[in-house]
Structures are given as C-alpha cells and as structure tokens.
Amino acid sequence: MDFDLSKPQKLLQQSARDFFVRACPPEKVREMMASGAAFDDALWREMADQGWTGLIIPEEFGGLGLTLVDLIAVVEEMGRASLPGPFISTLWAAALIDRAGSEGQRKQYLDPISMGDLKATVALLEESADWDPDAVQLRADRDGREFRISGRKDFVNDAAVADLIIVVARSGEDLVLLPVDRNTPGISIIETPAIDATRKLYSIEFDNVSLPESSALAYNTRVREALDASTETAMIALCAEMLGGMEWTLATTVEYAKTRQQFDKPIGTYQAVQHQCADMFLMIESARSAIYFAAWALSENDPGARLAVSVAKAYCSDAAREVGNRGVQVHGGIGFTWEHNLQLYYKRAKASEIMFGDANYHRDVIARKVIDETE
Amino acid sequence: MDLNLNPDELKFRDELRAWLQANVPAPFTGKGGEEEKGEHFDYLRAWQKKVYEGGWAGLSWPKEYGGRGARLIEQAIFTEEWARAEAPQLINVLGLSLIGPTIISAGTPEQKERFLPKILSAEEIWCQGFSEPNAGSDVASLGTKATLDGDHFIVNGQKIWTSMAHVADWCLLLVRTDPNVPKHKGITALLVDMHSTGVTVRPLRQMTGDASFNEVFFDNVRVPVSNVLGEVNKGWSTAITTLMNERAHLGTGIYVQFKRNLDQLVERSRQIRRGGRPVSEDPVLRQKIAQAYMELEIFRLTNTRALSKMHNQSVPGPEGSILKLQWSEYNQRFQQIAMEVLGPVAQLHGFDNGQWVFNYLRTRGNTIEAGTSEIQRNIVAERVLGLPKSY
C-alpha cells in the first residue's frame, strides 16, 4: 500500500512548480486578470508543450494518457500559482467529449485540445443556477436535420476565450450535448463581472443558432452519465487547484508571522497566531487526504468514487474559504489590501467554492448516499 | 499511489480473521459495566491470555521478545480486524503499546526477561505515572522525588490521571532525582511495584460517573536501583520514547469504533420521528450527519496516509501530527450532533444503555488527554511550520 504520490508523480509536480514560478508569477496573474479574458496565449502554448493540456487524454488522441492522480499533481501547482485561464474548463469539456463523443468526434476535438490548439468550456448552468442537469431548460429544437437553439446560458467559465462551447440543452424531453464554435452566428458572449477576475464568468445568448443534427455528441441518459463522470474529473482537479491555493496562503502567512514584529517579537511567537496557522495546516492536510483518495478512487473506477469526490469538494469548499479567512486575519491590515496577493487567492477560493456546488450542495449528495441509500 | 493490500498483507489479514472468528468470546454480560473491575476485569485478562497463547499479543514487538515483528500496515490491519470482529480490548494496553516497547528499547537484559513475558500474557498489569497535579502539559516540571538510600530509591510524591492504577501490578514512574539541574535533566524512569508499602491508590470519579483514572500517592516507597529504566537523570529521553510509542495505528481502532457510532446514529435517525417525519428527512440534521460522515472519512484517510508514510519511509510525515486534533475534535462535534438527532431521549441513562449521554460527556476528555488540543496546535506550529517557540 502506498498512499502518496509516486516518485515520478513527485518529479512531475516539482517540474510543474518550477514552471509556474517562472512562467506565472503574481505580476503575470495581475496582468492577465486586467486583460479582457484573463488569458495568455504564449503561456497556454508553453503548457501544451509540456503535454499538460492533454495530460489525461488517451494517447490515440494526442494526449499523454496519464491518470487523474498524475493530473492533480500538476493542477495543485496551477492553484499555487493562481493560474488564470481556461485549464479547468477545457479539462471538463475534454472529459465530456471523451465520454460522450463518437470515435470521430473525439478525434476531431481531443487532438487539437491535446496540442493546445483548442480551448473549450461547458455551458451547463442557466438562470436557475442549478448544478443538476435535470434543471436544464435551454431549447434545442429540431428543424429538419438541424437543431435550433434560442435562449441563454449563465455562469459559463472562460467563454470569451474558449474556441468551443459544449452546450447542454433540451430537445423535446431529452438532454442533448451540442459542441458549438464560439464564432457561430447568433451567439453573443457577455461578461458578467464577478468576484474572481482571474477566471471570468459569462452569459451566452443564443439567437436562433442553427447546428447540424450530426454535430450532437450524445442524447438523453448518455448525456447524464457523461456529464456526471466528466464533472467528477473536473471537480477533483478543481479541488487540487484549491489545495495548491491553500498551500500558497499558508506558506505566505507563516512567512509573514515569522518576520512581522509586534511587542518586540515576531507575531508567530504568539499562540493566538500559531493556532490560526496550525488550523490552516490541519485543513490543508485534511483536504489533501480527501483529494488524493478521490482521485485514486476515480482512476480505479472504485464504486465509492462518487461519494469520495463529494467528500473532497464539500471539505475543500469550506476549507479553502476558511484558510483564506485565517490568512487575511494573521496578516492584519496588509492582508486586506488590493496590493497584497492574498486577495487573488481569497477570491479564487470563493469562486471555486461555488463552482460545481458548494459544501451544502455536496453534503446533500453525501446525505443521500449515507442516509437514504444505506436503508 | 496504490491503496490496495498486497498478497502478503491479504494473507496476514485472512489468517487473523480466521483466528478471531474461532476465538472471540461472547460479549461480557456479567455485573459491573466498568472494564477494569471485578468479573469484567477477569474476563478481559483471560481474553488477553488466550490472545497471547494464539501468538497475537505484542504484534509489533520483535520476535526475540515474544512478539510477532509485524510491520506497520499489518498493525493497522490487526486493529481494523480486531474492531470489526468486535473482539474485546486487550486489558494490558499500556503495557503492550507503551511500556513494553520502552523496556525493549531502554531496559537491561534482566529487566526484559523479568517483565516482558508477563506484559504479553497480562499476568502483570501496568500503569504509567507521568502526570501530576502541577505537571500536566508541562510533564517535565514534575515534582515527585526519589532520593538514593544505599541500593534503593525512596520515592515521595503524587501522580494523577493514572489510568489502570487501581488494578495495576507495576508502574512506569517518572521521578525527580536531581532538583538542581534544568528540569528535563533531573528526571529518572523507575519500574515500581504497585504492591510496595507506601503506595496508595485513590480512584478519581469523572463527570461521566465512572472512575477509570486515579490519584496515586507515594509515601517513602522503596524501589531497588536495579529497577531504573535507562539511566539515572536520563528519564526524560526514556519518557519521550514512551510517548513516541503512542502508535499511529491506534487511530485505526478509533476509526472503527467511531464509524460504528455513526452508523448507529443514522439507523436511529430513521426511527425517531419529529414534526411528523423521521429525523433522517430533516434537511438541517441531514447536513450535520453528512458533515460528520465527511470528517470521519477524512480522519480515516489521513490516518491511512500517515501509516503508509511511516511504513514506506520509517519517518512520520507531517500529516501524523494532526490526527489527534482530527479525531478528538470530531468526536466532540459528533456527539453533539447525536444529541440533536436523538432529541430528548439522548439524555436518558436508560436509552441505548446510556451510551449517548456517556459518550457526550466522555468526549470532553478527548481534547485534554494524551496532549491537549492547545499543545497539539503548539506542536504543529513549532515543529511542522517552524514558527518560533512560544514558551
């Protein structure tokens, strides 16, 4: 038994850490968040050169064919750097295409995603802001051999930079998955400014957008299955990203507590401050246990994987916020400023807490499994 | 990362499982609920003897001292199987998990020969005399003193919170042998016969009503010099060895016990009705039960992670330092949730054998015993995060 990253995984993680320290320092993050779409094409290309855009994509579609555990080792470092841009969105879309698409569709989309030539996102949520696919109302009505889409999607990450948008819509009673080119006539992408400027949110309006029937990835129950599975993949990656962010916050806070002097001593000498830091550490290591296990369980198709993912997301959602709270508190006034980089991580933590359902949402999933399904 | 057991580990598990199936006695039903008294004590002592004869006592001890030389993962499997089989605890737990290993590492050949076999067989029960009324978290400030008189030490002083002292035959006792040096440097560890003249044990009743701790008074107790464990005035390092033997695998047993409590609560939540529906359908309490499940699961995983690190690298990883905080604080939160789920019946000594009211009160001790939560956080801050010492 070995409940840890393997040696090669640790090497991979170290190389990712070194990469982002160089390629994505905080100044770069601020520069990107001030730009329109919080995206830098050169950085994305460099990440693609490392193979990370296709890290878990099968080799036959140009990816590295590695496991989810390998993936989270890298994504943790993206979180430590607070990397802006559509990595999680593209990962989610790729996992969805991989699950739902035909051989031809997988080839069509996954190859360029692996190469870094295609960025993607998933448009699931609507005005109801419900993560349950059953809540999807957007119409994609059939008109001969075409679908016609009219209506709106909300809370879509990275839509302004995604070349491809996978739209979850309803055709008759059925759910349907439709990959749509961002530049298709009739599509408007509207930024909805939100708490995390490093990963922007958009509404997408569809005005009688027509798509060939053959473009659909999947219908009905297959949509549901593919959405569930791909969301689990994206969610555990998001959790790993949150973990990296928490680690940055703790390291920065401990460093500050060692150097900031009050009453002629470093404030880290005082137990009131020490215990805040110890709690942050406890939350981080707890999160790590939950995330590593869920990633392993998913990669092994363990029957407990779904529950493990909800455990991880419920825990990380609360922990990432709370680690941020403690970090700001220990920093005092400087931690509350725009100038200090804590704010970048603090805001990312809140947005990530909400993404794919917060702790309440996932505790509800857990309750169904441990109370209702054990009866 | 691979969380599956390997073939050797599976073989060990199957062998143990079969032995437990054939040997675990029927639950104790006689008089006296408290485990360290009367017939119940005899029952537990007989059980440990059987375990010893079956070759399963002292699992982690080296084979030359009558143990099994089991590696850490096997110890965790052992604890887990033990709990699953609902096998009674081993009564000489302090001897097996703390004192025996300390004698193995610091004792003379004569001490090893004299004491170790009887720890394994529970023929002699042990207690640990560290804490004093004025030396709790700061154990090294202890004041019980021992003065040399020929080939004996004369011991005077008081210990407190001493588990098992009322049934113990022997005590690993920390005493001050040199008051004129820094506090860590004047401490000696003695192996003291609890039947000696001058030893008085007074049970301490806890808020639960049970008396599983004691005060122990030493009044001119004579201890032969040959019963010094390790060296005179080097007792602090001996004590540290003992404290380090508070093994990570203990967490596995705690987990199984806590999981059983949680499963029981979920079962009860379906039966108890409030506001015209089962409590299990109350959205607020469902959230709380789910939170408990999540926290307990994360404790299990962190414990496994710590074990795996120890097993593969022989050094404890930083994750091990949060286990005590995780389980003790979880258990307090869980017992409160249980009270809320169960409602008014929770407070009754007659409901579910009084286990909920007992556990609710007992958990207050969890964040105090074996290092308070404050001390645990100090340790994380100083030793793991490298913050300056606060005292």
Side-chain angles (χ1 to χ4, degrees):
Chain A
M1 187 174 81
D2 187 15
F3 194 161
D4 197 2
L5 299 180
S6 65
K7 273 216 179 84
Q9 284 161 346
K10 284 181 179 162
L11 283 172
L12 177 66
Q13 185 167 55
Q14 187 60 49
S15 74
R17 184 176 303 186
D18 297 342
F19 175 91
F20 287 111
V21 164
R22 176 184 61 73
C24 190
E27 313 81 73
K28 179 82 182 173
V29 174
R30 284 176 183 264
E31 194 184 298
M32 287 166 79
M33 81 187 218
S35 76
F39 176 70
D40 181 281
D41 194 57
L43 176 54
W44 189 263
R45 295 268 157 211
E46 273 199 85
M47 285 163 55
D49 289 345
Q50 299 286 332
W52 296 336
T53 48
L55 203 136
I56 58 167
I57 292 174
E59 285 171 283
E60 54 184 310
F61 302 119
L64 298 180
L66 295 177
T67 70
L68 256 185
V69 181
D70 301 298
L71 177 76
I72 62 164
V74 171
V75 177
E76 196 177 321
E77 298 310 316
M78 296 179 179
R80 198 188 304 275
S82 196
L83 172 74
F87 188 85
I88 301 278
S89 302
T90 303
L91 175 75
W92 186 16
L96 190 51
I97 293 164
D98 194 29
R99 289 278 177 160
S102 66
E103 188 75 9
Q105 287 167 324
R106 292 163 80 201
K107 184 110 195 106
Q108 181 187 351
Y109 297 119
L110 298 181
D111 255 337
I113 286 176
S114 299
M115 302 308 291
D117 294 334
L118 187 76
K119 301 165 298 293
T121 190
V122 180
L124 171 63
L125 262 55
E126 299 172 3
E127 198 177 1
S128 65
D130 192 335
W131 290 98
D132 188 338
D134 287 345
V136 167
Q137 305 257 342
L138 179 74
R139 307 293 316 168
D141 292 322
R142 275 174 205 264
D143 180 9
R145 307 208 60 127
E146 290 188 330
F147 286 106
R148 292 199 168 270
I149 315 175
S150 281
R152 204 178 81 204
K153 285 285 183 184
D154 296 306
F155 307 105
V156 184
N157 286 98
D158 307 299
V161 60
D163 308 293
L164 184 74
I165 300 162
I166 316 284
V167 179
V168 188
R170 202 166 282 282
S171 183
E173 289 296 295
D174 290 354
L175 287 174
V176 60
L177 282 182
L178 297 167
V180 186
D181 187 307
R182 174 168 43 100
N183 298 314
T184 308
I187 288 184
S188 327
I189 291 171
I190 306 130
E191 189 185 342
T192 49
I195 191 167
D196 178 15
T198 67
R199 187 149 59 208
K200 297 186 197 286
L201 286 175
Y202 301 86
S203 290
I204 306 177
E205 281 177 1
F206 299 85
D207 180 15
N208 206 22
V209 174
S210 74
L211 295 170
E213 188 182 34
S214 60
S215 66
L217 290 173
Y219 296 94
N220 216 6
T221 51
R222 270 189 56 223
V223 174
R224 187 73 213 219
E225 285 162 16
L227 264 175
D228 284 349
S230 62
T231 305
E232 283 161 14
T233 299
M235 197 170 2
I236 207 61
L238 181 68
C239 288
E241 193 198 83
M242 294 164 91
L243 175 63
M246 287 190 262
E247 289 176 276
W248 182 91
T249 301
L250 175 61
T252 303
T253 302
V254 165
E255 192 49 41
Y256 185 75
K258 283 178 184 170
T259 47
R260 165 77 174 170
Q261 303 245 343
Q262 287 291 278
F263 306 106
D264 304 322
K265 283 184 201 161
I267 60 170
T269 313
Y270 304 115
Q271 290 188 2
V273 170
Q274 291 190 343
H275 291 189
Q276 297 271 31
C277 295
D279 284 341
M280 292 165 82
F281 178 78
L282 184 147
M283 288 185 261
I284 287 168
E285 290 309 315
S286 297
R288 190 190 311 281
S289 298
I291 295 165
Y292 284 13
F293 175 68
W296 179 81
L298 278 176
S299 68
E300 294 274 303
N301 292 317
D302 187 282
R306 184 156 295 183
L307 178 56
V309 172
S310 278
V311 164
K313 184 60 170 64
Y315 191 85
C316 289
S317 292
D318 282 343
R321 178 189 67 247
E322 195 52 32
V323 164
N325 289 343
R326 308 292 183 104
V328 170
Q329 183 65 26
V330 169
H331 275 80
I334 190 75
F336 185 60
T337 62
W338 185 267
E339 175 198 349
H340 200 289
N341 292 325
L342 266 175
Q343 60 121 335
L344 307 177
Y345 292 83
Y346 192 79
K347 293 170 181 173
R348 170 70 68 84
K350 176 49 90 178
S352 301
E353 173 188 343
I354 295 166
M355 195 174 178
F356 300 126
D358 64 7
N360 290 324
Y361 178 91
H362 285 283
R363 277 191 292 261
D364 205 41
V365 175
I366 295 168
R368 283 200 293 277
K369 291 200 182 294
V370 303
I371 300 174
D372 306 336
E373 290 174 20
T374 55
E375 230 167 320
Chain B
M1 191 142 82
D2 182 9
L3 299 179
N4 297 311
L5 296 179
N6 70 30
D8 283 349
E9 291 158 355
L10 284 170
K11 184 166 161 269
F12 174 87
R13 187 193 67 185
D14 293 343
E15 192 189 338
L16 173 61
R17 197 174 274 184
W19 188 86
L20 286 168
Q21 223 153 32
N23 289 285
V24 170
F28 178 73
T29 52
K31 274 180 66 174
E34 292 170 37
E35 288 172 341
E36 295 115 15
K37 292 206 175 78
E39 286 173 32
H40 200 169
F41 177 73
D42 297 336
Y43 164 91
L44 289 173
R45 191 178 250 196
W47 165 236
Q48 187 173 330
K49 185 147 185 280
K50 196 172 189 179
V51 172
Y52 172 58
E53 287 160 2
W56 296 100
L59 192 76
S60 63
W61 295 20
K63 287 186 178 152
E64 55 185 306
Y65 301 119
R68 210 179 175 97
R71 301 186 66 198
L72 211 49
I73 299 291
E74 290 165 338
Q75 294 172 47
I77 294 168
F78 178 87
T79 316
E80 189 165 348
E81 289 301 316
W82 209 259
R84 287 200 198 297
E86 302 195 25
Q89 60 155 314
L90 295 178
I91 188 67
N92 210 9
V93 58
L94 292 174
L96 290 169
S97 62
L98 302 175
I99 295 155
T102 311
I103 293 176
I104 289 170
S105 83
T108 63
E110 294 74 26
Q111 287 170 342
K112 289 175 186 171
E113 194 184 342
R114 161 69 188 80
F115 293 112
L116 294 177
K118 290 181 178 179
I119 289 177
L120 290 173
S121 65
E123 199 177 326
E124 288 173 347
I125 304 294
W126 282 75
C127 64
Q128 172 195 333
F130 285 16
S131 294
E132 297 183 3
N134 293 318
S137 292
D138 182 11
V139 173
S141 70
L142 58 90
T144 295
K145 62 177 191 191
T147 44
L148 201 55
D149 176 25
D151 56 358
H152 280 72
F153 278 106
I154 314 293
V155 179
N156 281 286
Q158 182 195 347
K159 295 288 171 179
I160 196 167
W161 318 121
T162 319
S163 305
M164 315 275 300
H166 54 297
V167 289
D169 302 290
W170 287 87
C171 179
L172 174 61
L173 187 72
L174 291 186
V175 294
R176 184 156 307 284
T177 36
D178 187 347
N180 301 317
V181 291
K183 60 186 178 182
H184 293 92
K185 296 185 174 167
I187 294 171
T188 299
L190 296 177
L191 305 169
V192 178
D193 185 344
M194 289 292 282
H195 305 294
S196 309
T197 310
V199 176
T200 310
V201 177
R202 192 188 294 160
L204 253 179
R205 206 160 177 218
Q206 299 122 240
M207 65 158 84
T208 56
D210 275 13
S212 55
F213 301 123
N214 303 274
E215 293 176 288
V216 186
F217 299 88
F218 298 88
D219 179 17
N220 287 321
V221 176
R222 294 179 67 80
V223 181
V225 169
S226 59
N227 282 11
V228 170
L229 183 61
E231 290 174 51
V232 173
N233 291 334
K234 296 275 174 65
W236 184 247
S237 61
T238 310
I240 292 290
T241 310
T242 303
L243 296 174
M244 300 241 296
N245 275 312
E246 304 212 279
R247 289 299 176 84
H249 69 90
L250 291 176
T252 315
I254 290 171
Y255 167 75
V256 179
Q257 184 196 326
F258 286 5
K259 183 62 168 52
R260 205 177 289 151
N261 288 343
L262 178 62
D263 291 344
Q264 271 178 308
L265 185 68
V266 168
E267 189 56 40
R268 283 277 180 243
S269 77
R270 296 190 194 111
Q271 297 155 353
I272 294 174
R273 298 179 70 84
R274 206 172 298 143
R277 64 182 177 191
V279 172
S280 60
E281 291 174 16
D282 178 301
V284 174
L285 293 173
R286 285 169 68 81
Q287 284 276 318
K288 293 190 178 189
I289 291 171
Q291 176 74 20
Y293 175 87
M294 174 185 84
E295 290 182 17
L296 182 55
E297 177 68 358
I298 287 176
F299 167 63
R300 176 182 78 88
L301 295 169
T302 309
N303 183 60
T304 310
R305 202 150 68 83
L307 271 170
S308 156
K309 180 76 71 69
M310 277 285 278
H311 184 83
N312 295 319
Q313 298 175 16
S314 304
V315 285
E319 59 285 328
S321 59
I322 61 170
L323 289 169
K324 169 76 202 313
L325 284 167
Q326 276 185 332
W327 72 254
S328 60
E329 296 186 352
Y330 159 80
N331 202 22
Q332 290 181 345
R333 289 190 287 264
F334 170 75
Q335 297 299 341
Q336 169 57 24
I337 292 167
M339 288 269 152
E340 292 174 31
V341 167
L342 298 169
V345 296
Q347 67 193 310
L348 299 177
H349 290 293
F351 177 73
D352 275 350
N353 244 341
Q355 67 157 321
W356 302 104
V357 60
F358 177 87
N359 286 337
Y360 174 72
L361 295 170
R362 180 64 187 82
T363 56
R364 296 329 301 176
N366 290 162
T367 49
I368 299 167
E369 60 202 331
T372 63
S373 287
E374 289 72 23
I375 289 287
Q376 302 297 337
R377 287 188 168 84
N378 292 346
I379 291 171
V380 170
E382 290 169 13
R383 299 199 201 148
V384 181
L385 300 178
L387 288 167
K389 271 190 85 69
S390 62
Y391 52 89

